[in-house]
Amino acid sequence: MDRLIDAINKMKNPSVFGLDPKIDYVPQHIREKSFSVFGKGALGAADAIWEFNKALIDALCDIVPAVKPQSAYYEMYGIAGLMTLKKTIDYAKSAGLYVLLDVKRNDIGSTAEAYATAYLGKTQIDGDLYEESFGCDAVTINGYLGTDGIKPFTDACKQYDKDCFALVKTSNPSSGELQDMDLAAGGAVCEKMAALVEGWGADNIGAHGYSRVGAVVGATYPEHAAKLRALMPHTFFLVPGYGAQGGKASDVAANFDKNGSGAIVNSSRGIMCAYRKGDYTPEQFAQAARDEAIRMREELNSIL
Amino acid sequence: MDRLIDAINKMKNPSVFGLDPKIDYVPQHIREKSFSVFGKGALGAADAIWEFNKALIDALCDIVPAVKPQSAYYEMYGIAGLMTLKKTIDYAKSAGLYVLLDVKRNDIGSTAEAYATAYLGKTQIDGDLYEESFGCDAVTINGYLGTDGIKPFTDACKQYDKDCFALVKTSNPSSGELQDMDLAAGGAVCEKMAALVEGWGADNIGAHGYSRVGAVVGATYPEHAAKLRALMPHTFFLVPGYGAQGGKASDVAANFDKNGSGAIVNSSRGIMCAYRKGDYTPEQFAQAARDEAIRMREELNSIL
């Protein structure tokens, strides 16, 4: 997690912008141009999203340390969408951003190894190390299957200097249905998951005191954050749910440690669709995103 | 789930073959041919896997009702791998197979909607209904996020006559770390998940008495199967872990209902790599797969 924390410290900005580009979020003038060249189908949509992402990366890469593409919004447009995802990852890395791909993958060990290879490692073919397939800096994972489904990810993190973030307490309204259930042995399901996550990273703690296995802890449940922060002293938090989902800056304070480190807060729609608020024209979407990213940075720094 | 159950009944075969094609599983003569045309990289590997899959589908489509590609083994080879996945899905459907894509997707509602669209539905672009991106008959999902992360999948199942299968008790050695924890309110975590899964399907039960929301229950934990079968009377089971993972036919009996229905058993490596056992040459991999599929069918029918 050191690379991410160094980037946050350098920019004095504990935030990450999400690229969850539904085609509806892309300003009309970009869509029209792409549809005129590639048709009003998946190819046109994928091209419009690529142009949108590129402009947002250009507008934000010197003030925000990390980007979080959400894989679902690319898978949705099939192969064309996935090609845009791959181009977006490569472009973001070339712009110096830490790329955290939100895929929430999970499976038994042998299959988890294939996922870890796909997103963090290098694919081996007949004994030769082949190039990276997606080559991200980090991925999100889901620990419902337990340790042997996670180990291939933690192994890849060590081997390739990467990170992963496991779901602990998610930001959505129904997250409590399972995650808040009390266990007979004490604590809730999400606290048991917290203990597992802290353990999965325990043998690989970096210079800043955080392991390579982070936790996803939603901004929308501040009452959980303080408890989980205490349960996971060596676990860096990825905090979704700020902004469009209702989480406020005051809500996310408890996710940080006493030094104002230990967490990174995500905003997706708030930044991508910033041009729809205030006096911006759709053509000014990149400037609007930058203004919102600066406002968010200042707001987060004000509560730390 | 009626389409799947009809297909099982027609073939008198409650099994599904998994296509988890690591390049190492593909016989040497296929690999060499593909590498000679496309090079020894992702393109060559993806082509070899495509040839392997096609031959297995041809060999099995008249005796096995369903196929379960595991997405990780395609994502691992990047865009080339995903193109092979898409071709495999289309080819399997054209051969009359029910295609259950193993993706274990999970996310908050808005993102789950994008995943449901990608795999079960049709992608909408500027108000027009675009073609299917992957167009499967069913997907696997992970319910750790609760109801609002599942509803987009169940909605898509209703709209497009599709099914989904949520993880309840997985087949891997560590599955008990979270899934077997006892809850203060009684029952284990996997039993709470079972209750959620039974509820998610309750408003959409088909002619055969099973809903569109199935459950993944591993063959490796027969002691859980009977309990979960009783807790989920309207939930069809997908049973992984048979064969290579150690589950025996006698272990899976408890996953079925008293009429010998209610479950489908998966075999991946056991069928894909059948040519490595017995007196087969690598060139006979398709025949070996067919022989193993028939043996498995007879074995399953003998315990029902």
Side-chain angles (χ1 to χ4, degrees):
Chain A
M1 211 61 76
D2 286 340
R3 285 198 292 126
L4 176 60
I5 298 171
D6 287 339
I8 290 169
N9 291 345
K10 193 175 155 196
M11 291 194 184
K12 296 185 174 42
N13 187 357
S15 73
V16 47
F17 68 102
L19 287 179
D20 309 10
K22 282 178 87 156
I23 189 68
D24 305 345
Y25 299 165
V26 179
Q28 188 69 23
H29 67 286
I30 297 179
R31 277 186 273 167
E32 278 173 8
K33 194 173 166 199
S34 294
F35 289 151
S36 75
V37 178
F38 295 99
K40 202 171 157 180
L43 280 177
D47 183 69
I49 291 167
W50 162 235
E51 294 296 334
F52 184 55
N53 285 356
K54 212 166 32 167
L56 290 173
I57 289 168
D58 288 343
L60 298 171
C61 65
D62 64 324
I63 54 167
V64 186
V67 61
K68 182 175 79 67
Q70 167 50 258
S71 191
Y73 292 98
Y74 303 86
E75 297 177 37
M76 188 166 125
Y77 301 102
I79 301 298
L82 287 156
M83 289 176 77
T84 285
L85 174 62
K86 171 66 174 152
K87 287 195 289 184
T88 299
I89 292 166
D90 290 347
Y91 191 76
K93 284 200 295 185
S94 74
L97 287 161
Y98 176 97
V99 179
L100 195 182
L101 186 62
D102 201 350
V103 285
K104 297 186 176 63
R105 295 298 192 261
N106 63 106
D107 218 297
I108 64 168
S110 51
T111 303
E113 192 180 332
Y115 279 132
T117 297
Y119 295 105
L120 303 174
K122 290 182 180 174
T123 300
Q124 201 165 28
I125 297 173
D126 263 21
D128 296 332
L129 259 195
Y130 184 68
E131 66 194 71
E132 295 177 322
S133 287
F134 287 95
C136 308
D137 295 301
V139 286
T140 54
I141 55 179
N142 180 325
Y144 186 72
L145 286 88
T147 299
D148 60 35
I150 299 301
K151 194 169 179 303
F153 289 101
T154 56
D155 286 349
C157 287
K158 284 183 211 171
Q159 186 178 353
Y160 297 104
D161 187 21
K162 305 287 177 88
D163 307 305
C164 56
F165 291 85
L167 302 185
V168 173
K169 173 64 184 172
T170 59
S171 59
N172 57 311
S174 311
S175 71
E177 285 176 7
L178 189 77
Q179 297 163 28
D180 291 356
M181 292 289 289
D182 284 324
L183 293 167
V189 166
C190 66
E191 293 167 59
K192 170 68 184 173
M193 187 65 91
L196 288 170
V197 170
E198 178 77 6
W200 291 330
D203 65 344
N204 203 343
I205 292 171
H208 293 291
Y210 287 101
S211 83
R212 293 191 186 275
V213 186
V216 177
V217 179
T220 43
Y221 296 100
E223 71 279 19
H224 288 71
K227 208 175 209 180
L228 293 170
R229 181 72 279 163
L231 283 172
M232 294 187 276
H234 304 98
T235 303
F236 202 83
F237 285 12
L238 167 64
V239 185
Y242 170 91
Q245 284 184 55
K248 295 181 191 66
S250 56
D251 294 335
V252 304
N255 290 283
F256 289 84
D257 64 23
K258 62 183 191 311
N259 304 315
S261 179
I264 190 163
V265 181
N266 179 76
S267 174
S268 301
R269 276 169 281 176
I271 285 179
M272 280 188 300
C273 300
Y275 70 90
R276 292 180 177 174
K277 291 183 176 173
D279 292 328
Y280 300 104
T281 66
E283 287 74 13
Q284 294 171 308
F285 71 95
Q287 183 60 47
R290 187 176 172 92
D291 292 347
E292 168 60 15
I294 291 170
R295 191 204 62 72
M296 180 180 172
R297 178 188 70 192
E298 300 309 311
E299 187 176 68
L300 289 175
N301 282 322
S302 76
I303 55 106
L304 294 180
Chain B
M1 211 60 75
D2 286 339
R3 284 198 294 127
L4 176 60
I5 298 170
D6 286 339
I8 291 169
N9 291 345
K10 193 175 156 198
M11 291 194 183
K12 297 186 176 35
N13 187 357
S15 74
V16 48
F17 67 102
L19 287 178
D20 309 11
K22 282 178 88 156
I23 189 67
D24 304 345
Y25 299 165
V26 179
Q28 187 69 21
H29 67 286
I30 298 179
R31 276 187 272 167
E32 278 173 8
K33 193 173 166 198
S34 294
F35 289 152
S36 75
V37 178
F38 295 101
K40 202 170 156 182
L43 280 177
D47 184 69
I49 291 167
W50 163 236
E51 294 296 334
F52 184 56
N53 286 355
K54 212 167 32 168
L56 290 173
I57 290 167
D58 288 343
L60 299 170
C61 65
D62 64 325
I63 53 167
V64 186
V67 61
K68 181 174 79 66
Q70 166 51 258
S71 191
Y73 291 97
Y74 303 85
E75 297 177 38
M76 190 164 120
Y77 301 102
I79 302 298
L82 288 155
M83 290 176 78
T84 285
L85 174 61
K86 171 66 174 152
K87 286 194 289 184
T88 298
I89 293 166
D90 290 347
Y91 191 75
K93 285 200 295 185
S94 75
L97 287 161
Y98 176 96
V99 180
L100 196 181
L101 185 62
D102 200 350
V103 285
K104 298 186 175 63
R105 295 298 192 259
N106 62 106
D107 218 298
I108 65 168
S110 51
T111 303
E113 192 180 332
Y115 279 131
T117 297
Y119 296 105
L120 303 175
K122 290 181 180 176
T123 300
Q124 202 166 27
I125 297 172
D126 264 20
D128 297 333
L129 220 43
Y130 183 68
E131 64 194 70
E132 295 178 322
S133 287
F134 287 95
C136 308
D137 295 302
V139 285
T140 53
I141 54 178
N142 179 326
Y144 186 73
L145 285 87
T147 300
D148 60 34
I150 299 300
K151 195 169 179 303
F153 290 101
T154 56
D155 287 349
C157 287
K158 285 182 210 171
Q159 187 178 352
Y160 297 105
D161 187 20
K162 304 287 176 87
D163 307 306
C164 56
F165 291 84
L167 301 185
V168 172
K169 173 65 184 172
T170 58
S171 60
N172 57 312
S174 310
S175 72
E177 285 176 6
L178 189 77
Q179 297 164 27
D180 291 355
M181 293 288 290
D182 284 323
L183 293 168
V189 166
C190 66
E191 293 169 59
K192 169 68 183 174
M193 188 64 91
L196 287 170
V197 170
E198 178 77 7
W200 290 330
D203 66 343
N204 202 345
I205 293 171
H208 293 291
Y210 288 102
S211 83
R212 291 190 187 277
V213 186
V216 176
V217 179
T220 43
Y221 296 101
E223 71 278 21
H224 287 71
K227 207 175 210 180
L228 294 170
R229 181 71 279 162
L231 284 171
M232 295 187 276
H234 305 97
T235 303
F236 202 83
F237 285 11
L238 167 64
V239 184
Y242 170 91
Q245 284 183 56
K248 296 181 191 65
S250 55
D251 294 336
V252 305
N255 290 283
F256 289 84
D257 64 23
K258 62 184 191 311
N259 304 314
S261 178
I264 189 163
V265 181
N266 180 75
S267 173
S268 300
R269 276 169 281 174
I271 286 178
M272 281 188 299
C273 299
Y275 70 91
R276 293 181 177 174
K277 292 183 175 173
D279 291 329
Y280 300 105
T281 65
E283 287 73 16
Q284 293 171 308
F285 71 96
Q287 183 62 48
R290 186 175 173 93
D291 292 347
E292 168 61 15
I294 290 171
R295 191 204 61 73
M296 181 180 172
R297 179 189 69 191
E298 300 310 311
E299 187 176 68
L300 290 175
N301 282 321
S302 76
I303 55 106
L304 295 180

